[in-house]
Amino acid sequence: MECVFGLVGDGFAILVADTSAVHSILVHKSNEDKIMVLDSHKLIAASGEPGDRVQFTEFIQKNVSLYQFRNGIPLTTAAAANFTRGELATALRKSPYMVNILLAGYDKETGPSLYYIDYIATLHKVDKAAFGYGSYFSLSMMDRHFHSGMSVEEAVDLVDKCILEIRSRLVVAPPNFVIKIVDKDGAREYAWRESVKDTPVSSA
Amino acid sequence: MSRRYDSRTTIFSPEGRLYQVEYAMEAIGNAGSAIGILSKDGVVLVGEKKVTSKLLQTSTSTEKMYKIDDHVACAVAGIMSDANILINTARVQAQRYTYAYQEPMPVEQLVQSLCDTKQGYTQFGGLRPFGVSFLFAGWDKNYGFQLYMSDPSGNYGGWKAAAIGANNQAAQSILKQDYKDDISREEAVQLALKVLSKTMDSTSLTSDKLELAEVFLMPSGKVKYQVCSPEALSKLLVKHGVTQPAAETS
């Protein structure tokens, strides 16, 4: 089942998500990227109802780039997080999006930051956060091993510890994970942690 | 023959002009003037009060300067009742932005949103344009101190020094001559008072005919909008030698 987590290190923020598309007891695919690059220096990882997840993150992404086109300056990570929260909060009393969000970004003035936003529009600025069944393990791992000012190597090491714990302790553990990083040079995919490969589909 | 075209705001004349918009700008040319000057550590706004009567009791200390948000203020020239509407929408816009993003609205965006409103009245039928020009002074984290001037057509631009209202062309040309880059806020105040003393109709400059407001950063990094008190303004006028204290007291 779903595992999304992230943490803030020294000059960067890192997000990790499982890549399983699941319906009922069936795994449909195991290379579904659940971390979207919002703009040049922002990442948004989402868990929840698959349709809502895609719809909502795309909606946020398009609004963030509309802002940039209109005003010639990018939104700060804090502003994007508050905007996202606002959209969830207005939707909450109409037709709620069932999505939980981790938003990571890097700003010149404030450096790296990570925001926790759940489907009932709670917003928290945090150093480490997790959603889904994997959070039971990744949160405790991070509680034990996280410290402020971690290097990329230390952070990736901790991420691997979390993934190992999820894979060994969670009954419904997803096989594959994607890791993305955002720092002063921008937001990008860092690595994949795959234990199964999707068999390539022969063309029809 | 222009009669056929100037009663509608939304119709071009054969020469390609919008008469109502031009008339609106004309109306501002008769209003009390205002000057804005950008300096390296702040923005200065000075306005000329048209004193209508001794008996008039004003409720606020300023009649031309308005605080839009913690980091933006504006000076007005033109029809005050029109201005009040626009100032209200500007304040609403600023608060809406803060509500959505939890951070102050960039100054240019605020000016632009207001100018979009103004522009609408030059295109959509049946209503007259706003007879108001604004000087916006503000600070934001992207571009620092900024000064914008807008007119009834909905045009706006960023300026180092700008003048609106009566005699604005004369004021503008003095500013063009005397403005230097990297002047301090104090020098900007001095320049603004000097320009106003030359362009105002009244012979001597007194504090009851003037308003002075400044936008600057406090040591804490917070943006401060400060209106100069009449007493302090009187002292400034004497200090910079733009008033005749002897004639006034005798």
Side-chain angles (χ1 to χ4, degrees):
Chain A
M1 296 293 268
E2 287 202 301
C3 307
V4 174
F5 59 99
L7 56 105
V8 180
D10 181 25
F12 69 94
I14 194 165
L15 285 182
V16 185
D18 73 281
T19 57
S20 296
V22 181
H23 188 253
S24 178
I25 57 162
L26 269 187
V27 177
H28 285 256
K29 70 192 274 220
S30 48
N31 60 351
E32 166 91 343
D33 190 349
K34 297 177 186 176
I35 310 178
M36 177 187 253
V37 176
L38 252 197
D39 71 5
S40 67
H41 287 78
K42 278 176 209 82
L43 289 170
I44 188 167
S47 72
E49 206 62 45
D52 284 1
R53 191 191 74 225
V54 174
Q55 187 77 5
F56 187 72
T57 50
E58 275 190 14
F59 172 73
I60 297 299
Q61 185 193 39
K62 266 56 195 173
N63 272 97
V64 167
S65 51
L66 175 63
Y67 182 99
Q68 209 160 55
F69 277 121
R70 273 187 178 160
N71 306 308
I73 43 172
L75 275 177
T76 60
T77 310
N82 277 289
F83 172 75
T84 307
R85 195 208 72 84
E87 292 301 323
L88 276 174
T90 36
L92 185 62
R93 305 290 167 182
K94 294 177 182 152
S95 59
Y97 292 102
M98 301 304 277
V99 280
N100 299 309
I101 281 169
L102 290 182
L103 199 153
Y106 185 92
D107 301 283
K108 268 206 189 74
E109 300 103 49
T110 49
S113 54
L114 175 66
Y115 290 87
Y116 164 109
I117 309 162
D118 68 15
Y119 77 103
I120 36 181
T122 313
L123 174 73
H124 290 305
K125 186 177 188 295
V126 288
D127 282 334
K128 52 192 198 300
F131 280 119
Y133 278 120
S135 70
Y136 295 114
F137 307 100
S138 48
L139 276 178
S140 17
M141 268 330 247
M142 288 192 286
D143 275 342
R144 176 69 184 79
H145 296 289
F146 176 87
H147 59 89
S148 57
M150 289 177 95
S151 68
V152 176
E153 291 72 37
E154 287 176 309
V156 171
D157 195 45
L158 174 50
V159 163
D160 282 330
K161 278 199 180 86
C162 291
I163 293 174
L164 183 71
E165 200 63 16
I166 290 166
R167 279 176 177 161
S168 53
R169 289 290 178 182
L170 185 60
V171 183
V172 283
N176 299 344
F177 293 83
V178 62
I179 305 170
K180 294 192 183 182
I181 276 187
V182 56
D183 60 14
K184 64 176 187 346
D185 301 319
R188 62 190 177 276
E189 193 175 292
Y190 179 79
W192 283 71
R193 296 286 184 259
E194 289 172 303
S195 59
V196 298
K197 282 258 190 238
D198 265 16
T199 45
V201 186
S202 59
S203 56
Chain B
M1 263 324 283
S2 63
R3 269 295 124 85
R4 290 178 59 187
Y5 302 98
D6 66 0
S7 60
R8 298 254 187 104
T9 52
T10 54
I11 303 231
F12 281 112
S13 78
E15 306 94 70
R17 296 161 63 171
L18 292 169
Y19 281 107
Q20 282 302 319
V21 176
E22 290 183 21
Y23 296 162
M25 294 188 198
E26 199 61 39
I28 294 161
N30 302 322
S33 56
I35 290 170
I37 298 177
L38 196 62
S39 73
K40 63 175 189 279
D41 55 347
V43 194
V44 174
L45 294 174
V46 183
E48 171 198 1
K49 261 196 267 197
K50 288 247 158 144
V51 184
T52 44
S53 163
K54 269 187 195 170
L55 301 173
L56 184 68
Q57 198 171 38
T58 45
S59 55
T60 51
S61 60
T62 55
E63 61 179 59
K64 294 178 72 71
M65 313 287 183
Y66 292 87
K67 191 176 173 178
I68 305 289
D69 200 346
D70 284 331
H71 64 300
V72 189
C74 72
V76 182
I79 302 167
M80 274 320 299
S81 51
D82 284 14
N84 285 330
I85 303 291
L86 288 170
I87 288 160
N88 185 47
T89 55
R91 285 174 175 163
V92 170
Q93 289 291 341
Q95 289 314 121
R96 276 207 185 123
Y97 186 98
T98 322
Y99 177 54
Y101 301 109
Q102 299 292 316
E103 54 182 48
M105 190 171 190
V107 182
E108 184 170 355
Q109 275 180 59
L110 187 61
V111 175
Q112 197 170 52
S113 90
L114 204 67
C115 286
D116 286 349
T117 315
K118 282 193 183 185
Q119 190 282 146
Y121 283 80
T122 71
Q123 181 163 208
F124 298 107
L127 303 163
R128 68 173 169 81
F130 285 99
V132 192
S133 273
F134 283 110
L135 290 174
F136 286 95
W139 182 93
D140 65 45
K141 64 179 190 308
N142 292 298
Y143 297 111
F145 291 110
Q146 292 151 79
L147 175 68
Y148 293 93
M149 177 167 70
S150 81
D151 70 13
S153 72
N155 254 330
Y156 75 91
W159 295 77
K160 289 173 178 174
I164 52 174
N167 265 330
N168 68 77
Q169 284 183 341
Q172 201 88 255
S173 64
I174 304 175
L175 284 170
K176 203 169 163 185
Q177 265 174 21
D178 293 356
Y179 183 83
K180 284 185 250 356
D181 282 318
D182 293 328
I183 57 169
S184 68
R185 203 168 80 239
E186 208 184 328
E187 289 170 308
V189 171
Q190 187 178 359
L191 176 59
L193 292 176
K194 189 187 123 187
V195 172
L196 216 52
S197 73
K198 285 186 182 171
T199 56
M200 263 168 68
D201 294 331
S202 53
T203 45
S204 76
L205 222 52
T206 53
S207 62
D208 58 335
K209 286 178 193 144
L210 280 182
E211 278 174 27
L212 171 67
E214 293 163 280
V215 175
F216 56 93
L217 284 181
M218 291 193 292
S220 64
K222 258 193 78 170
V223 189
K224 172 96 174 153
Y225 166 71
Q226 194 174 62
V227 180
C228 193
S229 69
E231 296 76 35
L233 191 52
S234 295
K235 278 182 197 151
L236 270 176
L237 289 171
V238 176
K239 187 181 160 196
H240 297 312
V242 287
T243 189
Q244 291 106 344
E248 203 65 32
T249 46
S250 63

XYZ file of all heavy atoms in Angstrom, chain A residues 60-131:
565
model
N -2.851 22.036 -9.613
C -1.910 22.899 -8.894
C -0.749 23.290 -9.807
O -0.376 24.466 -9.900
C -1.386 22.196 -7.620
C -2.524 21.930 -6.640
C -0.292 23.030 -6.948
C -3.254 23.148 -6.138
N -0.220 22.304 -10.514
C 0.918 22.582 -11.404
C 0.556 23.638 -12.449
O 1.334 24.559 -12.695
C 1.324 21.287 -12.109
C 2.568 21.421 -12.959
C 2.752 20.219 -13.883
O 1.791 19.691 -14.443
N 3.983 19.772 -14.015
N -0.629 23.508 -13.027
C -1.028 24.456 -14.073
C -1.258 25.843 -13.483
O -0.959 26.848 -14.134
C -2.287 23.958 -14.788
C -2.032 23.151 -16.047
C -1.148 21.983 -15.789
C -0.584 21.359 -17.051
N 0.399 20.315 -16.716
N -1.780 25.902 -12.279
C -1.976 27.216 -11.647
C -0.664 27.881 -11.279
O -0.513 29.094 -11.403
C -2.862 27.094 -10.411
C -4.318 27.221 -10.755
O -5.019 26.233 -10.925
N -4.774 28.432 -10.925
N 0.286 27.063 -10.848
C 1.608 27.609 -10.506
C 2.270 28.165 -11.760
O 2.851 29.255 -11.737
C 2.483 26.535 -9.826
C 3.930 26.980 -9.762
C 1.971 26.246 -8.430
N 2.145 27.459 -12.899
C 2.790 28.013 -14.090
C 2.002 29.190 -14.664
O 2.601 30.105 -15.222
C 3.071 26.941 -15.142
O 1.931 26.203 -15.412
N 0.685 29.198 -14.480
C -0.097 30.372 -14.901
C 0.362 31.615 -14.142
O 0.540 32.689 -14.715
C -1.591 30.133 -14.659
C -2.521 31.320 -14.952
C -2.466 31.705 -16.420
C -3.951 31.015 -14.549
N 0.585 31.426 -12.835
C 1.073 32.545 -12.013
C 2.393 33.070 -12.569
O 2.606 34.271 -12.683
C 1.255 32.080 -10.566
C 1.721 33.166 -9.622
C 0.816 33.831 -8.812
C 3.055 33.533 -9.544
C 1.232 34.826 -7.953
C 3.488 34.529 -8.696
C 2.565 35.174 -7.892
O 2.981 36.167 -7.046
N 3.259 32.134 -12.923
C 4.573 32.531 -13.417
C 4.468 33.285 -14.747
O 5.172 34.274 -14.957
C 5.421 31.289 -13.590
C 6.901 31.547 -13.418
C 7.643 30.250 -13.116
O 7.558 29.287 -13.832
N 8.368 30.220 -12.060
N 3.576 32.818 -15.613
C 3.394 33.517 -16.894
C 2.830 34.907 -16.681
O 3.268 35.875 -17.309
C 2.439 32.728 -17.791
C 3.110 31.618 -18.540
C 2.708 30.311 -18.399
C 4.168 31.888 -19.392
C 3.331 29.289 -19.084
C 4.803 30.866 -20.092
C 4.382 29.561 -19.931
N 1.837 35.011 -15.789
C 1.176 36.297 -15.587
C 2.097 37.315 -14.943
O 2.062 38.489 -15.264
C -0.041 36.117 -14.679
C -1.286 35.756 -15.425
C -2.432 35.769 -14.447
N -3.688 35.467 -15.116
C -4.769 35.032 -14.490
N -4.723 34.851 -13.180
N -5.871 34.799 -15.137
N 2.884 36.863 -13.999
C 3.589 37.820 -13.146
C 5.090 37.847 -13.338
O 5.777 38.676 -12.745
C 3.255 37.532 -11.684
C 1.754 37.501 -11.461
O 1.078 38.434 -11.835
N 1.251 36.429 -10.893
N 5.603 36.941 -14.131
C 7.032 36.962 -14.432
C 7.921 36.538 -13.288
O 9.139 36.540 -13.424
N 7.326 36.227 -12.140
C 8.118 35.737 -11.001
C 7.477 34.446 -10.508
O 6.262 34.299 -10.587
C 8.176 36.765 -9.849
C 6.800 37.394 -9.618
C 9.202 37.836 -10.105
C 6.716 38.274 -8.401
N 8.302 33.516 -10.023
C 7.713 32.264 -9.540
C 7.091 32.429 -8.162
O 7.457 33.340 -7.411
C 8.903 31.316 -9.491
C 10.094 32.188 -9.311
C 9.770 33.508 -9.939
N 6.150 31.551 -7.832
C 5.622 31.513 -6.467
C 6.703 30.952 -5.552
O 7.455 30.067 -5.950
C 4.408 30.589 -6.409
C 3.044 31.126 -6.768
C 2.027 30.010 -6.701
C 2.637 32.229 -5.813
N 6.745 31.435 -4.329
C 7.625 30.805 -3.353
C 6.997 29.473 -2.951
O 5.808 29.248 -3.169
C 7.782 31.672 -2.099
O 6.489 31.858 -1.529
C 8.393 33.013 -2.424
N 7.812 28.614 -2.355
C 7.287 27.326 -1.916
C 6.177 27.526 -0.882
O 5.142 26.854 -0.924
C 8.414 26.465 -1.325
O 9.502 26.464 -2.249
C 7.960 25.038 -1.109
N 6.400 28.476 0.017
C 5.389 28.756 1.051
C 4.078 29.198 0.418
O 2.997 28.749 0.818
C 5.903 29.825 2.002
N 4.156 30.077 -0.593
C 2.948 30.569 -1.250
C 2.237 29.434 -1.981
O 1.007 29.319 -1.912
C 3.292 31.689 -2.226
N 3.008 28.588 -2.657
C 2.411 27.457 -3.371
C 1.732 26.504 -2.392
O 0.636 26.000 -2.668
C 3.480 26.729 -4.172
N 2.355 26.285 -1.238
C 1.776 25.398 -0.230
C 0.471 25.978 0.313
O -0.527 25.257 0.453
C 2.764 25.180 0.904
N 0.472 27.273 0.583
C -0.747 27.907 1.083
C -1.845 27.926 0.039
O -3.025 27.766 0.361
C -0.438 29.329 1.559
C 0.118 29.335 2.961
O -0.591 29.070 3.910
N 1.419 29.584 3.098
N -1.449 28.124 -1.218
C -2.425 28.079 -2.304
C -3.046 26.681 -2.398
O -4.271 26.541 -2.494
C -1.740 28.453 -3.623
C -2.603 28.249 -4.825
C -3.637 29.127 -5.111
C -2.395 27.172 -5.672
C -4.445 28.927 -6.211
C -3.201 26.975 -6.778
C -4.226 27.851 -7.052
N -2.182 25.661 -2.342
C -2.643 24.271 -2.411
C -3.617 23.975 -1.269
O -4.674 23.377 -1.468
C -1.446 23.310 -2.326
O -0.498 23.683 -3.323
C -1.861 21.876 -2.550
N -3.242 24.401 -0.077
C -4.098 24.196 1.077
C -5.454 24.867 0.886
O -6.493 24.283 1.175
C -3.445 24.755 2.334
C -4.085 24.290 3.625
C -3.905 25.314 4.733
N -4.760 26.482 4.493
C -6.036 26.543 4.849
N -6.606 25.540 5.463
N -6.744 27.623 4.585
N -5.417 26.102 0.351
C -6.654 26.841 0.121
C -7.575 26.120 -0.845
O -8.792 26.052 -0.634
N -6.986 25.573 -1.914
C -7.788 24.849 -2.898
C -8.399 23.586 -2.286
O -9.562 23.260 -2.552
C -6.935 24.483 -4.124
C -6.508 25.668 -4.964
C -7.694 26.458 -5.496
O -8.720 25.845 -5.839
O -7.604 27.706 -5.527
N -7.621 22.900 -1.467
C -8.153 21.707 -0.791
C -9.270 22.078 0.171
O -10.275 21.374 0.284
C -7.035 20.990 -0.036
C -6.169 20.021 -0.836
C -5.021 19.521 0.016
C -6.994 18.850 -1.328
N -9.071 23.210 0.864
C -10.058 23.632 1.863
C -11.376 24.030 1.221
O -12.448 23.712 1.758
C -9.502 24.793 2.688
N -11.333 24.715 0.066
C -12.592 25.073 -0.597
C -13.255 23.830 -1.175
O -14.479 23.716 -1.172
C -12.388 26.122 -1.709
O -11.154 25.876 -2.344
C -12.438 27.514 -1.176
N -12.435 22.900 -1.679
C -12.998 21.670 -2.249
C -13.592 20.789 -1.156
O -14.552 20.055 -1.397
C -11.935 20.907 -3.018
N -13.028 20.894 0.033
C -13.414 20.007 1.136
C -14.914 20.039 1.419
O -15.513 19.016 1.730
C -12.624 20.392 2.388
C -12.793 19.504 3.617
C -12.313 18.093 3.326
C -12.010 20.083 4.797
N -15.526 21.231 1.309
C -16.957 21.359 1.603
C -17.830 21.229 0.356
O -19.025 21.474 0.403
C -17.240 22.706 2.281
C -16.427 22.968 3.522
C -16.844 22.074 4.652
N -15.875 22.104 5.741
C -15.976 21.367 6.847
N -17.003 20.544 6.994
N -15.061 21.433 7.781
N -17.217 20.898 -0.767
C -18.009 20.694 -2.001
C -17.845 19.248 -2.463
O -18.655 18.393 -2.170
C -17.529 21.677 -3.080
C -17.822 23.107 -2.726
C -17.246 24.026 -3.792
C -17.466 25.484 -3.445
N -16.426 26.328 -4.030
N -16.787 19.010 -3.211
C -16.471 17.630 -3.571
C -14.990 17.422 -3.295
O -14.155 17.788 -4.105
C -16.805 17.364 -5.030
O -16.082 18.243 -5.841
N -14.700 16.874 -2.135
C -13.307 16.834 -1.673
C -12.407 15.983 -2.562
O -12.850 14.982 -3.127
C -13.419 16.203 -0.284
C -14.833 15.999 -0.007
C -15.634 16.278 -1.204
N -11.166 16.432 -2.681
C -10.141 15.611 -3.309
C -9.561 14.704 -2.228
O -9.133 15.200 -1.187
C -9.006 16.476 -3.845
C -9.372 17.364 -5.003
C -9.604 18.716 -4.820
C -9.425 16.854 -6.304
C -9.911 19.551 -5.892
C -9.730 17.673 -7.375
C -9.973 19.026 -7.171
O -10.259 19.842 -8.216
N -9.536 13.394 -2.467
C -8.928 12.501 -1.481
C -7.443 12.368 -1.769
O -6.993 11.351 -2.303
C -9.613 11.128 -1.518
C -11.112 11.191 -1.242
S -11.478 11.974 0.324
C -11.252 10.582 1.405
N -6.704 13.429 -1.481
C -5.253 13.386 -1.694
C -4.513 13.965 -0.504
O -4.927 14.948 0.097
C -4.808 14.166 -2.953
C -5.025 13.355 -4.201
C -5.471 15.511 -3.038
N -3.409 13.312 -0.187
C -2.484 13.831 0.815
C -1.222 14.249 0.080
O -0.757 13.544 -0.814
C -2.165 12.760 1.842
C -3.406 12.312 2.571
O -4.163 13.127 3.077
N -3.629 11.013 2.600
N -0.681 15.391 0.500
C 0.387 15.979 -0.298
C 1.624 16.300 0.528
O 1.527 16.800 1.658
C -0.149 17.252 -0.992
C -0.971 16.825 -2.209
C 0.980 18.175 -1.434
C -1.761 17.908 -2.814
N 2.771 16.006 -0.054
C 4.035 16.527 0.468
C 4.594 17.460 -0.596
O 4.763 17.052 -1.743
C 5.022 15.395 0.742
C 4.694 14.471 1.901
C 5.803 13.439 2.074
C 4.509 15.253 3.192
N 4.835 18.697 -0.205
C 5.346 19.673 -1.156
C 6.731 20.113 -0.725
O 6.906 20.629 0.385
C 4.389 20.867 -1.229
C 4.487 21.784 -2.443
C 3.156 22.449 -2.698
C 5.548 22.839 -2.294
N 7.706 19.868 -1.586
C 9.088 20.267 -1.281
C 9.533 21.301 -2.285
O 9.131 21.264 -3.449
C 10.009 19.062 -1.323
N 10.336 22.243 -1.833
C 10.817 23.270 -2.749
C 12.092 23.910 -2.255
O 12.500 23.711 -1.098
N 12.701 24.663 -3.143
C 13.904 25.413 -2.766
C 13.719 26.858 -3.205
O 13.410 27.129 -4.360
C 15.141 24.799 -3.426
C 16.418 25.470 -2.982
C 17.144 24.979 -1.894
C 16.885 26.622 -3.623
C 18.294 25.615 -1.461
C 18.036 27.263 -3.186
C 18.738 26.758 -2.111
O 19.880 27.403 -1.681
N 13.902 27.790 -2.264
C 13.832 29.222 -2.575
C 15.157 29.876 -2.240
O 15.827 29.461 -1.291
C 12.732 29.903 -1.750
C 11.379 29.294 -2.016
O 10.807 29.598 -3.062
O 10.921 28.491 -1.178
N 15.483 30.909 -3.003
C 16.749 31.619 -2.780
C 16.847 32.146 -1.349
O 17.851 31.982 -0.685
C 16.873 32.787 -3.759
C 17.588 32.434 -5.036
C 18.244 33.684 -5.653
C 18.771 33.389 -7.040
N 17.725 33.274 -8.077
N 15.763 32.803 -0.873
C 15.835 33.452 0.437
C 15.741 32.458 1.592
O 16.454 32.582 2.571
C 14.711 34.483 0.591
C 14.720 35.601 -0.414
C 13.677 35.394 -1.487
O 12.530 35.110 -1.150
O 14.023 35.509 -2.675
N 14.836 31.502 1.455
C 14.544 30.644 2.606
C 15.203 29.272 2.537
O 15.166 28.525 3.511
C 13.024 30.448 2.759
O 12.489 30.088 1.485
C 12.354 31.711 3.226
N 15.788 28.922 1.392
C 16.415 27.616 1.262
C 15.390 26.516 1.052
O 14.274 26.783 0.624
N 15.774 25.265 1.385
C 14.854 24.161 1.143
C 13.748 24.137 2.187
O 13.943 24.561 3.327
C 15.743 22.923 1.290
C 16.806 23.347 2.230
C 17.054 24.801 1.962
N 12.570 23.655 1.788
C 11.474 23.538 2.755
C 10.559 22.393 2.337
O 10.535 21.987 1.170
C 10.690 24.848 2.851
O 10.260 25.249 1.580
N 9.851 21.878 3.335
C 8.937 20.762 3.091
C 7.614 21.066 3.787
O 7.606 21.493 4.943
C 9.551 19.466 3.635
C 8.687 18.193 3.570
C 8.429 17.786 2.131
C 9.365 17.046 4.310
N 6.517 20.872 3.055
C 5.192 21.135 3.616
C 4.340 19.876 3.592
O 4.326 19.153 2.591
C 4.494 22.262 2.853
C 5.128 23.593 3.103
C 6.198 24.024 2.326
C 4.698 24.414 4.138
C 6.815 25.251 2.561
C 5.295 25.630 4.385
C 6.362 26.046 3.598
O 6.959 27.255 3.846
N 3.649 19.662 4.698
C 2.729 18.536 4.853
C 1.312 19.071 4.677
O 0.916 19.984 5.401
C 2.958 17.953 6.251
C 1.891 17.026 6.797
C 2.148 15.662 6.916
C 0.659 17.499 7.244
C 1.187 14.809 7.452
C -0.293 16.659 7.769
C -0.025 15.314 7.870
O -0.975 14.474 8.398
N 0.586 18.544 3.707
C -0.798 18.975 3.495
C -1.658 17.722 3.349
O -1.404 16.926 2.455
C -0.939 19.820 2.211
C 0.090 20.948 2.181
C -2.351 20.401 2.099
C 0.301 21.540 0.818
N -2.635 17.525 4.233
C -3.462 16.335 4.089
C -4.802 16.680 3.431
O -5.070 17.833 3.136
C -3.620 15.591 5.413
C -4.431 16.371 6.430
O -5.098 17.345 6.025
O -4.392 16.022 7.625
N -5.631 15.634 3.208
C -6.832 15.854 2.389
C -7.871 16.712 3.083
O -8.760 17.263 2.436
C -7.440 14.499 1.976
C -8.226 13.816 3.077
C -9.619 13.825 3.068
C -7.579 13.193 4.126
C -10.346 13.206 4.073
C -8.290 12.584 5.140
C -9.674 12.588 5.114
O -10.375 12.004 6.115
N -7.759 16.870 4.422
C -8.680 17.792 5.096
C -8.058 19.171 5.271
O -8.445 19.947 6.124
C -9.177 17.232 6.453
C -8.071 16.454 7.121
C -10.447 16.441 6.281
C -8.462 15.844 8.440
N -7.076 19.470 4.416
C -6.485 20.809 4.308
C -5.749 21.263 5.569
O -5.849 22.412 5.982
C -7.540 21.830 3.904
N -5.011 20.337 6.155
C -4.093 20.724 7.217
C -2.773 21.100 6.568
O -2.325 20.396 5.667
C -3.828 19.534 8.149
O -5.054 18.919 8.485
C -3.103 19.970 9.405
N -2.167 22.173 7.030
C -0.868 22.557 6.479
C 0.152 22.661 7.592
O -0.091 23.318 8.612
C -0.975 23.906 5.752
C 0.343 24.491 5.240
C 0.851 23.724 4.043
C 0.170 25.950 4.878
N 1.280 21.977 7.408
C 2.372 22.093 8.367
C 3.680 22.225 7.626
O 3.912 21.525 6.640
C 2.466 20.840 9.252
C 1.343 20.697 10.225
N 1.017 21.685 11.121
C 0.483 19.690 10.435
C -0.014 21.270 11.842
N -0.362 20.074 11.443
N 4.532 23.124 8.114
C 5.900 23.168 7.606
C 6.707 22.218 8.484
O 6.702 22.364 9.703
C 6.459 24.585 7.705
C 7.816 24.743 7.070
C 8.280 26.195 7.142
C 9.549 26.395 6.348
N 10.689 25.649 6.915
N 7.348 21.241 7.868
C 8.015 20.194 8.647
C 9.410 19.894 8.095
O 9.769 20.339 7.003
C 7.191 18.892 8.627
C 5.942 19.010 9.470
C 6.857 18.498 7.202
N 10.167 19.147 8.869
C 11.483 18.691 8.406
C 11.416 17.281 7.857
O 12.251 16.857 7.071
C 12.491 18.743 9.555
C 12.977 20.152 9.809
O 12.946 20.960 8.860
O 13.372 20.456 10.949
N 10.448 16.536 8.348
C 10.272 15.167 7.843
C 8.785 14.822 7.946
O 8.111 15.272 8.870
C 11.123 14.183 8.640
C 10.936 14.268 10.152
C 12.033 13.467 10.834
C 11.711 13.121 12.269
N 11.482 14.281 13.165
N 8.304 14.059 6.976
C 6.877 13.755 6.953
C 6.634 12.492 6.152
O 7.471 12.094 5.338
C 6.107 14.911 6.330
N 5.477 11.855 6.390
C 5.136 10.653 5.647
C 3.633 10.460 5.607
O 2.912 10.900 6.507
C 5.807 9.439 6.277
N 3.167 9.809 4.541
C 1.757 9.457 4.384
C 1.639 7.974 4.047
O 2.583 7.371 3.546
C 1.121 10.263 3.253
C 0.735 11.658 3.648
C 1.309 12.750 3.008
C -0.205 11.893 4.640
C 0.951 14.045 3.347
C -0.570 13.176 4.983
C 0.020 14.257 4.339
